[in-house]
Amino acid sequence: DVQLQASGGGLVQAGGSLRLSCAASGIAIDAWTIGWYRQAPGKEREGVSCIGSGHGNTYYADSVKGRFTISKDNAKNTVYLQMNSLKPEDTAVYYCAADPWGLASSDYMSDPDGMDYRGKGTQVTVSS
């Protein structure tokens, strides 16, 4: 049974930081591409960042490039999203999703429904 558990969300002021975690069970993340996505009320789901299988190349949406950093710890089977310089427009429910193998690319960001597994989200609220 595959589970992806996102955590680490919360309320933070603009300019602040949060680190989200995506703990996986039932899969070994080293062999999966893991993506972070977000959805704000009234808006479509948006791909934020992803990290590829193996060596773990990374990809970022333009809206977060330079502010967010994705990483993974294979020993802990966990993917992280470090979010710095947060803006009110980053407010959303963030969730992680997994697809087997692959390299991080914009393809994963544009097709969140194409991921094999998706976990429940964690709320991130950035106040102005």
Side-chain angles (χ1 to χ4, degrees):
D1 187 25
V2 176
Q3 292 192 358
L4 300 170
Q5 182 63 55
S7 62
L11 173 63
V12 64
Q13 289 188 335
S17 298
L18 285 173
R19 188 177 80 155
L20 305 185
S21 298
C22 173
S25 60
I27 60 170
I29 62 169
D30 189 44
W32 292 71
T33 292
I34 308 295
W36 281 100
Y37 302 85
R38 66 186 182 187
Q39 187 164 21
K43 293 187 177 181
E44 293 186 355
R45 269 177 291 177
E46 176 188 14
V48 176
S49 180
C50 57
I51 187 163
S53 62
H55 292 297
N57 71 309
T58 58
Y59 183 89
Y60 298 92
D62 288 342
S63 57
V64 306
K65 200 173 293 183
R67 301 188 297 124
F68 291 10
T69 303
I70 192 170
S71 62
K72 64 180 178 178
D73 185 333
N74 291 331
K76 295 183 178 181
N77 220 31
T78 299
V79 173
Y80 303 98
L81 185 69
Q82 178 67 43
M83 307 187 297
N84 298 330
S85 303
L86 283 163
K87 305 175 181 180
E89 51 263 44
D90 293 319
T91 295
V93 175
Y94 286 71
Y95 66 94
C96 53
D99 206 55
W101 302 111
L103 298 174
S105 71
S106 61
D107 291 344
Y108 289 101
M109 298 289 89
S110 62
D111 185 22
D113 291 332
M115 305 296 274
D116 271 15
Y117 298 103
R118 186 178 80 181
K120 294 182 180 179
T122 184
Q123 176 71 47
V124 171
T125 304
V126 184
S127 63
S128 57

